[in-house]
Amino acid sequence: MTYIAHKNNRLMIEGVDIANLAATIPTPFYIYSSATMRARFQSLKAAVNHPRVKIFFAVKANSNIAVLSVLGKEGANMDIVSSGEMKRALAAGIPGSRMVFSGVGKTDDEIAFALQNDIYQINAESLPELDAINRVAVRLNVKAPIALRVNPDVDAKTHAKISTGKDENKFGISWDHVEEAVRKVASLPNLTFMGLSAHIGSQITNTQPFVNSAARMEEMVARLRGAGHTIQRISLGGGLGIPYRGETIPLADFGKLVHAFAEKMQCDVELEPGRFLVGEAGVLITKVIYVKKTNSKQFLIVDGAMNDLIRPTLYEAYHPIGKVIEADTKATPQTYDIVGPICETGDFLAQDRPLAPCQEGDLIAIFMAGAYGATMSSMYNSRSLIGEVLVNGNQTAIIRKPLTIEQQLLWETIPTF
Ligand code: LLP
């Protein structure tokens, strides 16, 4: 079931006609299908089908509190990487007891905030971090539940900028230091050792890297259990991809792998999916300002830009693109570069794309933009953060108003010196 599709040549998101909506609110904007998010969550849960598997949504993928609320109500727990994300998840009604706290650089204040809010688990990534967590836990007179994020030294075979599981990456505790780290957790009075976690990368579209990572975890768990340590939880991280280029996503195989792993390990198994739950649910709607022809190219200059969606610029990412209203003509498709108004050559949303002929004012949809879209946006060129809309059936809600330049100016002051 797809909730985002053209009907009678008009883009519909669930029951909402996007061209009609865009006539009433400013472009560009992000729009999300709540039914898609719920369906993705349920499909993952069903694929895994194991009572000891817990799903934590990686908030970094989409941190709008309405999105967190949809997933939270569906039963998702939250994977956060900052106290900002924790405050968002709390605001969405999810208690700290349903959150894991990941990240390489947690500050004392963030650790304290997490512990005061009854965090379910802190995934610690280095030996000095263990000292910091213990120090804060002593001060607060609490015990901190710790999983050690280990670096399994597995190649996720994904884009270099989103690969995390190789020893040369900054993430996790090196394989050779894991046992020492477990002993350290055991020796620190205010830490409780819960288990291990690993995350090898993002946008992974075949199961082999997950198989490799699970095998490495199994090996380490056996070694630790052999040494008398109790392992109650293992996180396999996030990373399951979405079909940006029509790839087949091996959801069933991934589910089977996780199921078998939970059976074998006889402990809780955690997942931290971000992109898989929200990526396909979101669309960036933008409008053509000018059609510009040069000797070698045709450009659609649109009102959305790299500050709104930086993935194409940063990762050479490909997002499917279409016209919101598909003109019902047999006109030959044109090849366009779809670019924003920002003063950088890297400011493009797509290059060399075939699209039905476009003119000024046409609406363009950038699909699969629900993950790492709005959350990675910036205000470069003094553009402002754009609006976000949530669809539920025939209903729409503005879940983030566009920020105005006036609001930006209120944040700044000119000193008197
Ligand atoms: N867990 C940890 C510890 C992570 O670092 C990440 C993502 C996730 C879970 C969720 O991964 P996912 O299921 O979404 O693949 N901005 C990049 C992706 C960066 C991912 C960072 N970590 C992009 O737009 O492709």
Side-chain angles (χ1 to χ4, degrees):
M1 172 82 199
T2 168
Y3 297 98
I4 304 176
H6 283 84
K7 208 190 261 174
N8 301 325
N9 298 325
R10 297 175 70 88
L11 179 62
M12 301 291 292
I13 296 187
E14 303 185 31
V16 174
D17 181 298
I18 298 307
N20 288 349
L21 175 71
T24 65
I25 58 173
T27 56
F29 60 87
Y30 278 103
I31 183 161
Y32 311 115
S33 153
S34 52
T36 305
M37 297 186 231
R38 286 192 283 262
R40 287 299 175 278
F41 179 79
Q42 291 304 338
S43 69
L44 179 60
K45 201 172 145 186
V48 166
N49 187 27
H50 198 289
R52 297 202 70 174
V53 175
K54 287 193 153 84
I55 299 173
F56 294 80
F57 171 59
V59 171
K60 62 172 82 70
N62 191 319
S63 59
N64 188 292
I65 57 175
V67 168
L68 303 184
S69 167
V70 168
L71 288 169
K73 282 187 187 137
E74 205 61 20
N77 308 295
M78 299 287 143
D79 168 39
I80 53 144
V81 293
S82 66
S83 51
E85 286 189 352
M86 184 162 200
K87 284 178 191 173
R88 286 178 169 277
L90 290 170
I94 296 128
S97 58
R98 281 173 57 192
M99 297 184 207
V100 298
F101 188 7
S102 307
V104 282
K106 305 174 190 83
T107 64
D108 280 18
D109 284 350
E110 289 182 309
I111 294 165
F113 185 71
L115 291 174
Q116 280 157 345
N117 282 281
D118 202 16
I119 190 87
Y120 178 72
Q121 176 179 308
I122 301 181
N123 293 344
E125 298 217 15
S126 64
L127 298 176
E129 186 186 333
L130 292 174
D131 289 315
I133 300 171
N134 186 60
R135 183 172 68 230
V136 176
V138 167
R139 172 161 60 80
L140 298 175
N141 194 25
V142 293
K143 284 229 166 199
I146 301 294
L148 290 173
R149 171 154 177 200
V150 305
N151 189 325
D153 200 16
V154 164
D155 190 350
K157 300 233 172 353
T158 180
H159 191 282
K161 283 192 183 138
I162 53 175
S163 203
T164 51
K166 294 279 291 162
D167 193 56
E168 69 249 32
N169 299 128
K170 72 178 172 185
F171 300 99
I173 294 169
S174 288
W175 201 246
D176 301 340
H177 301 162
V178 176
E179 286 159 288
E180 178 193 347
V182 175
R183 284 195 296 273
K184 187 173 170 97
V185 176
S187 74
L188 290 170
N190 287 52
L191 303 187
T192 308
F193 179 61
M194 305 307 299
L196 303 178
S197 89
H199 169 80
I200 52 174
S202 199
Q203 184 53 19
I204 300 171
T205 54
N206 88 56
T207 44
Q208 198 54 48
F210 292 115
V211 171
N212 297 347
S213 172
R216 292 283 277 170
M217 296 301 269
E218 194 180 323
E219 183 191 322
M220 185 57 81
V221 167
R223 215 190 287 174
L224 292 172
R225 281 183 172 157
H229 299 287
T230 306
I231 310 276
Q232 301 180 49
R233 304 173 187 165
I234 308 168
S235 172
L236 292 177
L240 189 59
I242 60 171
Y244 291 112
R245 293 175 186 267
E247 301 92 326
T248 308
I249 304 305
L251 176 62
D253 287 349
F254 177 78
K256 278 187 203 139
L257 166 76
V258 176
H259 183 102
F261 187 71
E263 281 294 290
K264 201 160 183 187
M265 295 293 101
Q266 287 297 309
C267 67
D268 288 352
V269 172
E270 302 169 353
L271 300 176
E272 301 159 5
R275 188 187 323 261
F276 180 79
L277 297 184
V278 294
E280 289 166 275
V283 185
L284 173 63
I285 304 293
T286 179
K287 192 184 280 176
V288 177
I289 310 175
Y290 301 114
V291 182
K292 172 170 169 173
K293 291 188 175 122
T294 65
N295 288 334
S296 47
K297 291 248 184 195
Q298 284 200 93
F299 293 97
L300 293 182
I301 301 175
V302 297
D303 59 5
M306 66 187 268
N307 72 301
D308 305 312
L309 179 66
I310 202 169
R311 303 196 66 259
T313 308
L314 197 54
Y315 315 116
E316 295 86 37
Y318 177 99
H319 285 259
I321 285 185
K323 293 182 74 171
V324 169
I325 299 177
E326 289 174 337
D328 195 11
T329 68
K330 302 274 172 294
T332 330
Q334 305 288 302
T335 301
Y336 291 113
D337 273 21
I338 297 154
V339 303
I342 287 183
C343 305
E344 294 230 15
T345 306
D347 178 26
F348 59 84
L349 298 172
Q351 290 175 309
D352 299 319
R353 283 308 170 85
L355 211 56
C358 291
Q359 52 190 20
E360 286 178 21
D362 282 357
L363 292 167
I364 305 289
I366 321 282
F367 295 104
M368 301 199 188
Y372 307 107
T375 51
M376 293 183 76
S377 54
S378 76
M379 302 195 291
Y380 187 35
N381 276 207
S382 289
R383 293 165 57 85
S384 271
L385 300 182
I386 62 177
E388 295 179 279
V389 181
L390 186 68
V391 174
N392 185 36
N394 298 323
Q395 298 169 289
T396 56
I398 308 284
I399 58 172
R400 181 176 79 185
K401 288 186 280 194
L403 200 77
T404 63
I405 181 65
E406 288 72 22
Q407 286 169 314
Q408 279 193 46
L409 293 179
L410 284 176
W411 295 356
E412 296 173 28
T413 46
I414 301 171
T416 51
F417 55 81

